[in-house]
Amino acid sequence: MPTAAPNIDQETLFVSTQWLADHLHAPDVVIFDASWHMAAAGRNAHAEYLDAHIPGAVFFDIDAIADHSTDLPHMLPDPVAFSSAVRKLGLGDGMRAIVYDSLGLFSAPRLWWTLRVFGVADVSVLDGGLPAWKAEGRPLEQGETQRKPRHFTARMDHALVADAADVTRALADGSAQVVDVRSAERFAGSVPEPRPGLRAGHMPGALNLPFGNLLADGRMKPAEALAEAFAKAQIDPDRPVIASCGSGLTASILSLALAASGRRPATVYDGSWSEWGARAELPVVVGPAG
């Protein structure tokens, strides 16, 4: 498994709506709308962005800025492709990124994690996301935001990314805790997977902490509540964690939660169950955690 990523500065992990309002036009700040929805939700994140977004925000398409050489959903692109994409969105070296989504806290952590993977140290999540911004009656704008292209240099942090071999090794030698953030029902294999062709169940030896247990009202729960959630799931937050989910998106919520607890962010298994559940040679068990 790659060497663990360092702890994250608590002071910059989240920003308030007031902070963002005060820095909307700062030349070194880039605001990203990272909204994404499951197909079953019947929502179009980009169309919603065009209809109403935080002034100056650019839309980061999680499915488009991805590795298209694989059938797995929204896998990380290579550093060259990522650099090209974010340059066009106006993010340059040394700039600060602020990410949000339309649900409060759902897909924004995936972009927070992605930016950190590619070397952006100064990236924050908007506390409460777009719902909090709207609830306070703050300004919105329509249409596509165009920013001046900037020079961006990707420096990939491999410690934040795991593949199936890393997960297999961690399950075998205990070098990291593998934590699946899918629902308890999906983890147990008592309901079918939403993506066709995937086996139901979980990795042998994995722990289960549904991502919803880390959130409340579109925000990350406070540190004491996160500690309770970790303990209930038998997770030691001071030991390395590999987070997995359905497609590598909500696993990033656990990575962010560990950072919010003052720990090292979880490494994310990018392929997650979309890969593991489809590969017949990888072991799967059914039944509840523990």
Side-chain angles (χ1 to χ4, degrees):
M1 180 181 168
T3 304
N7 291 47
I8 306 299
D9 182 2
Q10 295 289 290
E11 295 293 322
T12 61
L13 189 58
F14 291 95
V15 297
S16 67
T17 51
Q18 186 58 55
W19 184 96
L20 186 56
D22 292 340
H23 294 81
L24 272 184
H25 305 295
D28 61 339
V29 171
V30 182
I31 308 165
F32 289 99
D33 184 320
S35 300
W36 182 91
H37 303 290
M38 292 286 290
R43 295 176 62 173
N44 185 314
H46 187 242
E48 292 180 14
Y49 161 84
L50 293 175
D51 185 58
H53 60 263
I54 293 175
V58 293
F59 185 75
F60 186 97
D61 191 327
I62 289 172
D63 286 326
I65 304 174
D67 180 2
H68 298 292
S69 68
T70 174
D71 291 335
L72 296 174
H74 43 251
M75 292 285 285
L76 288 174
D78 65 57
V80 173
F82 184 80
S83 294
S84 175
V86 296
R87 285 172 183 168
K88 295 173 184 175
L89 292 175
L91 181 65
D93 294 336
M95 299 180 75
R96 183 170 188 180
I98 310 297
V99 301
Y100 75 85
D101 66 56
S102 59
L103 296 181
L105 196 64
F106 177 66
S107 52
R110 170 70 187 196
L111 180 53
W112 169 84
W113 170 78
T114 298
L115 289 167
R116 293 202 62 88
V117 166
F118 288 110
V120 182
D122 203 353
V123 52
S124 307
V125 177
L126 177 63
D127 187 28
L130 187 61
W133 185 270
K134 286 182 173 181
E136 295 166 1
R138 297 187 183 275
L140 297 166
E141 68 178 16
Q142 295 180 317
E144 201 84 55
T145 296
Q146 299 292 334
R147 291 184 60 95
K148 177 183 177 181
R150 301 282 184 170
H151 177 75
F152 180 85
T153 307
R155 298 176 178 85
M156 192 164 184
D157 184 353
H158 294 278
L160 286 171
V161 188
D163 59 19
D166 295 320
V167 175
T168 299
R169 189 160 44 250
L171 291 169
D173 64 16
S175 55
Q177 303 160 98
V178 178
V179 181
D180 189 329
V181 306
R182 292 177 301 154
S183 69
E185 294 78 14
R186 289 176 66 188
F187 182 87
S190 59
V191 295
E193 280 296 300
R195 292 178 176 83
L198 300 184
R199 295 169 294 168
H202 61 269
M203 305 154 188
L207 302 170
N208 183 218
L209 175 51
F211 72 85
N213 294 356
L214 303 170
L215 308 175
D217 301 321
R219 288 181 161 91
M220 188 69 69
K221 286 183 176 179
E224 57 270 22
L226 293 178
E228 291 176 8
F230 296 148
K232 185 176 181 180
Q234 300 181 321
I235 298 165
D236 180 352
D238 294 315
R239 290 189 55 232
V241 171
I242 297 177
S244 180
C245 60
S247 66
L249 190 135
T250 55
S252 304
I253 296 174
L254 176 56
S255 190
L256 181 65
L258 284 165
S261 301
R263 274 52 172 233
R264 295 174 184 271
T267 298
V268 171
Y269 172 25
D270 199 17
S272 282
W273 201 252
S274 293
E275 178 180 29
W276 195 280
R279 288 177 54 180
E281 77 277 14
L282 296 174
V284 170
V285 295
V286 296

